[in-house]
Amino acid sequence: MSGLNLLPVFAVGLAGSVHCVGMCGGIVGALSAATPARARTIPIVPAATALPAASALDGALRVLGYNTGRIGSYMLAGALAGGLANGAASLAHIARWQGIAYVLANAMLVALGLYLMNAWHGLARVEAAGNVLWRRVQPAMKYLVPMDTLPKAVALGGLWGWVPCGMVYSVLLTALLSGSAASGAAVMLAFGLGTLPMLLALGLAGARIRQAMQRPIVRAACGMLVLGFGVLGMIRHASGLPHGWLDALCVTVPL
C-alpha cells in the first residue's frame, strides 16, 4: 500500500476525530473517580495545566506521550490484522473475495460517516462486541492514575487504544485487507496521525475545543466527508474505474 493510498485513511482520521472529542469528554469523569482529589481534573487526554506544579512543557510532553502510546496500540492492532489476512494468502488472489472486501471496507466508511453525523448508530453494536477485550484490559488502568509522569502517559495511551470504538474498527477493516502486517500497521499509523491534531488541541485547550467540535454542523460536515470517501469507493468499484489519481480519494485494497 503506497503513501498515496494512505491519504484517505489520514483524512478519515482527521475528520473522524470529532468523535474522539466527544468520547474523551465522557472519559474525564470515569478516570476522576479513580484519581486522588488533587488530580481530579486530569482527563484521559491530559491538559497542560492539569497539575499546578507541572510546567506547560511537562504537560505537553504527557499529551504527546499519551498519544504516542495510543497510536502505537493502533499500529499493533493493524499489524495483527494485516498479518492475519496475510496468513490467509490463498484467498488473496480470488477476484470475488477482493471485490467483496473492497465493498465492505467502503461500506464501513459509509457507516462511520452516518455515525459521525448522528444519523445511524449501527457501529455502536460493533463497539459493544469490543467490550469483551476491554474488560480484560481496563483493570490495568488503576495503576496509571494519576497520570503524573511521562511513562504513565505512554502506558495509559497504549491501554486506551484498545477502548471499543466503531471508528477505529472501521479503519481496522482496511488494515485487515492491506495484505501484510507492515501495511496494516501503516494504515493504522496514518489513521492515528489523522486523529493527532485534534487530540493534541484537546489536551492543550480542553473544554473550549470539546465544545466547539461537538456542534452538530461540525459533526455533520466531518461525517459527510467520511461518507463521501465510502460512496466514491463503491461507485468506483461498481463502474470499474481504473486505479490512478482516484487512489488519493479512495481507500483501496491490494489487487
Side-chain angles (χ1 to χ4, degrees):
M1 183 170 287
S2 69
L4 185 64
N5 300 126
L6 296 176
L7 286 177
V9 180
F10 175 85
V12 166
L14 190 63
S17 59
V18 297
H19 173 64
C20 302
V21 172
M23 188 173 184
C24 289
I27 293 161
V28 177
L31 277 187
S32 297
T35 305
R38 63 180 180 83
R40 286 281 173 110
T41 58
I42 303 178
I44 186 67
V45 184
T49 57
L51 291 177
S55 65
L57 177 60
D58 186 49
L61 286 175
R62 290 199 302 278
V63 172
L64 287 172
Y66 164 81
N67 283 286
T68 297
R70 178 179 61 85
I71 294 174
S73 67
Y74 290 167
M75 292 178 66
L76 175 59
L80 291 173
L84 176 66
N86 191 39
S90 60
L91 297 177
H93 302 292
I94 300 177
R96 184 179 180 184
W97 162 253
Q98 290 177 331
I100 293 173
Y102 185 82
V103 170
L104 183 58
N106 285 283
M108 286 294 284
L109 290 184
V110 171
L112 174 58
L114 295 173
Y115 187 46
L116 294 175
M117 296 165 64
N118 287 323
W120 184 68
H121 295 88
L123 283 182
R125 300 186 183 94
V126 181
E127 290 181 351
N131 282 324
V132 176
L133 174 62
W134 177 239
R135 281 195 293 267
R136 297 181 179 276
V137 174
Q138 189 177 20
M141 293 178 62
K142 65 183 179 182
Y143 301 107
L144 300 174
V145 290
M147 189 171 51
D148 50 6
T149 66
L150 181 59
K152 281 186 176 182
V154 174
L156 192 56
L159 285 178
W160 202 258
W162 299 98
V163 164
C165 176
M167 183 176 72
V168 173
Y169 295 158
S170 65
V171 181
L172 195 59
L173 178 59
T174 300
L176 177 69
L177 303 172
S178 65
S180 70
S183 294
V187 167
M188 296 309 292
L189 173 61
F191 167 73
L193 291 177
T195 65
L196 189 58
M198 182 69 72
L199 289 184
L200 286 179
L202 178 63
L204 297 173
R208 288 174 296 175
I209 293 292
R210 186 162 58 249
Q211 183 177 10
M213 291 300 101
Q214 287 302 291
R215 293 176 180 172
I217 190 171
V218 174
R219 290 187 62 93
C222 292
M224 289 180 66
L225 177 62
V226 175
L227 185 147
F229 283 130
V231 170
L232 180 60
M234 288 193 286
I235 292 175
R236 175 188 180 186
H237 174 74
S239 60
L241 294 177
H243 287 255
W245 65 269
L246 277 175
D247 283 350
L249 298 176
C250 299
V251 171
T252 62
V253 297
L255 297 174

